[in-house]
Amino acid sequence: MADKLSAVKGMNDIVPPKSAAWEWFEQQVRDLMRSYGYQNLRTPILEYTPLFVRGIGEVTDIVEKEMYSFTDALNGEQLTLRPEGTAAVVRACIEHGLLYDGGKRLWYTGPMFRHERPQRGRYRQFHQVGAEALGFGGPDVDAELILMARQLWSRLGLGDLVTLELNCLGQADERARHRVDLIAYLERHADQLDADARRRLHTNPLRVLDTKNPQMQAVVAAAPKLIDYLGEVSLAHFEGVQNLLRAAGQPFTINPRLVRGLDYYNLTVFEWVTDRLGAQATVCAGGRYDGLIEQIGGKPAPACGWALGMERVLELLIEAGQAAPASPPHAYAVLTSADLMPRAMPVCEALRQSGVRVQLHMGGGGMKSQMKKADASGARWALVFGEQELLDGQVGIKDLRGAQDAQQQRLVALEPLPNLVSALL
Ligand code: ATP
Ligand code: MG
C-alpha cells in the first residue's frame, strides 16, 4: 500500500455528520443577509500580494508573519492566499465600479489562510463570514452591522454566550497625538515590553495595546487611552452608535484597549466575545475603515464591516448544546431484487422531482439488512419495490417510526404519482 497522505497541518476536512452543522449555519447566514438586504459577493482565493500589504498594513501580524505568499512558478507573479476578505471586497468593488451609484451592502463567506500556530479555534485554513457596507458614513450603519450580528446569535441560539465590546479609534490626527504620548509612555516602560512590543513601539504602537502576552497586561492597562484624545466629531459618531445600540436594547462595554489587528480601521471598532472558547475569545470582529477604499485606489468613500470566524461559532454551538436540525430523507427505497433497479430508479427520480427526499439503496443485500439501512438513514418511510407489486403498478410503504402495529406495509399505486408523494411527505 502507498504511504498514507494527510491533510496539511492546521487545515481541516469538514466531514459528516459535522458538515450538517456547517450547512445549517450557512443557511442561517444566507437568510440573515437577505433579511437585511445584503448582497453576496465572491472573490478569488488568490490575490496579488500587494493588495494585502497595502490593504492590511505592513506592521500587522498578518502581513509580517501569517501570509501564504509565493511566486507563481509559471510567470513569476507574487501571489497570496487571502488571509481575510475585506481588502478583496474593496478591490472588487473598485474594479467593477460597484460604488458608482452610492452605497453597497455586501456579504461573503469562504476559506481564509493564515500561517499561525494551530490550536483550538485557530487554524491555518479557517472560514469567515463577512458583511461590508461600503459608501455609508453614518453611525447608523455601524449600529446596523452590530445588530445584524446580534440577530444571527439569536437565530443560532447563542445570544447568552456572547457579549459586545466597543471602542472608537478616532481619526488619523487624533491617533497621531495619542501616539506621541503612547510611545513616550511605552519607552518609559520598555523593560516591561516583550520583543514584539519593542519592535512595534515605533512602527505601530497602537498594536502593542492589543498584546495577548499576560505579562504585559498591567503595563498596557495603564497606558494613555486613545479615547481621551478624540475630538468632538469622533466623539459624536461614537455617541451616535451607542445611542442606537441603547435604543435597540443591546448592552455593550467600552474597551479602550480594543484596537483590532488590521491597520485600516478608524472610528468605531467592535468585537463580539465569549468566555466559552478559552484563549480564542473573539468570534466576530469589525469596525469602520473609511480610508481603505482610497488606499486601494478607489474614489474616497467611507465603509464599515465585520467578519466572524465560522469554526469558533460552530464550537460555540457545540458548547451551547445546539444541534443542527436533522434533515433525513423522507423515504429509503429498498428492492426485493437488484434486477428491479431499472424500474425503481425512475420512480425515485420522479419522487425527488416532486420534493420527496429519497435515498435509494445500493449494493444489494437481503431484505433484513436493507431495512436496517433504511432505519439507520433516519427516514420516516421505507419504500419497498417488489416484482409482483410493480407488475400490479404498486409499491409498498412502511412507516419506520410508527408504533409496532402501525409498521405493517401497505400498498400504494404508482399512478397517479401525487398520491404516493402525499403518502410520503
Ligand atoms: P485574533 O486576535 O484571534 O488573532 P484577528 O484579529 O487576527 O483575531 P480578524 O482578522 O479580525 O482576527 O478575523 C475575524 C475573525 O476571524 C476573528 O475574530 C476570529 O473569529 C476569526 N479568526 C481569525 N483568525 C483565525 C484563525 N487562524 N483560525 C480560526 N479563526 C480565526
Ligand atoms: Mg490574528
Side-chain angles (χ1 to χ4, degrees):
M1 242 193 338
D3 282 347
K4 231 199 230 158
L5 294 170
S6 65
V8 175
K9 186 176 170 201
M11 304 196 177
N12 301 308
D13 299 313
I14 299 161
V15 300
K18 231 177 160 181
S19 52
W22 281 78
E23 283 191 290
W24 175 68
F25 178 26
E26 286 159 356
Q27 190 55 49
Q28 299 296 315
V29 167
R30 271 192 281 277
D31 293 345
L32 175 87
M33 297 300 176
R34 215 171 284 138
S35 67
Y36 283 79
Y38 278 63
Q39 294 172 293
N40 188 235
L41 180 84
R42 300 168 193 228
T43 63
I45 281 169
L46 277 177
E47 296 276 353
Y48 292 119
T49 304
L51 173 69
F52 299 119
V53 176
R54 227 202 290 175
I56 297 173
E58 270 175 86
V59 195
T60 55
D61 281 347
I62 294 180
V63 173
E64 277 183 337
K65 54 187 186 201
E66 295 174 359
M67 292 206 306
Y68 281 94
S69 296
F70 58 94
T71 307
D72 184 333
L74 298 177
N75 61 9
E77 287 175 343
Q78 289 301 313
L79 303 175
T80 295
L81 281 169
R82 64 182 184 193
E84 56 98 47
T86 305
V89 167
V90 170
R91 179 204 48 71
C93 281
I94 297 170
E95 200 166 327
H96 300 279
L98 294 186
L99 301 178
Y100 76 98
D101 62 348
K104 271 274 171 311
R105 295 186 224 203
L106 302 165
W107 74 278
Y108 61 83
T109 184
M112 305 293 162
F113 303 84
R114 298 185 194 178
H115 198 104
E116 305 203 64
R117 194 168 64 78
Q119 54 196 290
R120 183 187 184 198
R122 197 173 284 288
Y123 309 101
R124 290 181 174 173
Q125 173 172 330
F126 62 102
H127 298 76
Q128 286 185 338
V129 171
E132 317 280 1
L134 292 88
F136 300 93
D140 45 0
V141 180
D142 308 20
E144 182 183 78
L145 278 159
I146 291 170
L147 294 174
M148 198 163 127
R150 170 177 76 170
Q151 175 98 224
L152 181 62
W153 312 138
S154 136
R155 293 184 187 192
L156 295 174
L158 298 177
D160 296 338
L161 270 58
V162 289
T163 55
L164 176 64
E165 296 190 354
L166 277 188
N167 194 20
C168 180
L169 298 183
Q171 302 294 7
D173 55 325
E174 293 157 346
R175 285 198 297 277
R177 276 187 283 119
H178 168 254
R179 184 188 157 106
V180 174
D181 290 356
L182 179 61
I183 291 178
Y185 168 87
L186 292 173
E187 278 175 339
R188 283 201 302 280
H189 297 85
D191 55 326
Q192 294 170 55
L193 304 183
D194 60 18
D196 250 4
R198 243 173 272 146
R199 195 165 39 81
R200 283 186 172 153
L201 203 158
H202 294 279
T203 49
N204 194 350
L206 208 52
R207 285 300 317 283
V208 175
L209 301 181
D210 192 27
T211 178
K212 299 208 168 61
N213 182 347
Q215 259 107 54
M216 280 178 49
Q217 298 310 309
V219 67
V220 296
K225 293 184 176 43
L226 179 52
I227 203 159
D228 298 327
Y229 294 74
L230 300 183
E232 249 172 64
V233 179
S234 294
L235 284 173
H237 186 101
F238 196 27
E239 265 305 315
V241 177
Q242 294 177 52
N243 286 337
L244 287 166
L245 292 175
R246 282 189 205 104
Q250 174 56 49
F252 53 85
T253 53
I254 292 177
N255 174 0
R257 289 188 38 213
L258 190 65
V259 298
R260 308 292 313 110
L262 317 180
D263 262 3
Y264 50 59
Y265 287 98
N266 69 316
L267 291 174
T268 319
V269 287
F270 56 86
E271 286 192 357
W272 286 96
V273 297
T274 179
D275 56 10
R276 305 291 276 273
L277 295 181
Q280 270 48 260
T282 307
V283 288
C284 174
R288 188 156 272 290
Y289 48 94
D290 294 334
L292 184 64
I293 298 176
E294 185 177 17
Q295 199 170 318
I296 291 182
K299 223 170 87 201
C304 188
W306 54 246
L308 64 78
M310 295 180 75
E311 281 81 357
R312 293 186 193 177
V313 174
L314 281 148
E315 277 277 319
L316 265 191
L317 284 170
I318 294 170
E319 281 288 314
Q322 287 282 349
S327 52
H330 295 114
Y332 188 98
V334 302
L335 292 76
T336 55
S337 151
D339 301 343
L340 299 177
M341 192 55 94
R343 308 282 305 282
M345 200 173 256
V347 174
C348 293
E349 288 298 315
L351 286 171
R352 292 171 188 135
Q353 192 96 34
S354 303
V356 184
R357 295 194 298 271
V358 186
Q359 193 172 330
L360 174 53
H361 181 82
M362 287 182 191
M367 199 37 58
K368 202 166 161 205
S369 87
Q370 290 190 53
M371 288 307 283
K372 242 190 191 154
K373 289 251 166 65
D375 197 45
S377 75
R380 162 95 192 263
W381 301 100
L383 190 60
V384 185
F385 289 94
E387 189 136 23
Q388 188 55 52
E389 290 81 355
L390 281 169
L391 283 175
D392 297 343
Q394 291 178 321
V395 66
I397 70 170
K398 191 170 163 165
D399 188 345
L400 297 168
R401 310 289 151 202
Q404 277 302 323
D405 53 351
Q407 288 191 4
Q408 288 305 325
Q409 180 173 312
R410 66 187 167 93
L411 293 172
V412 182
L414 282 167
E415 297 287 345
L417 192 70
N419 288 346
L420 179 57
V421 171
S422 57
L424 296 174
L425 284 181

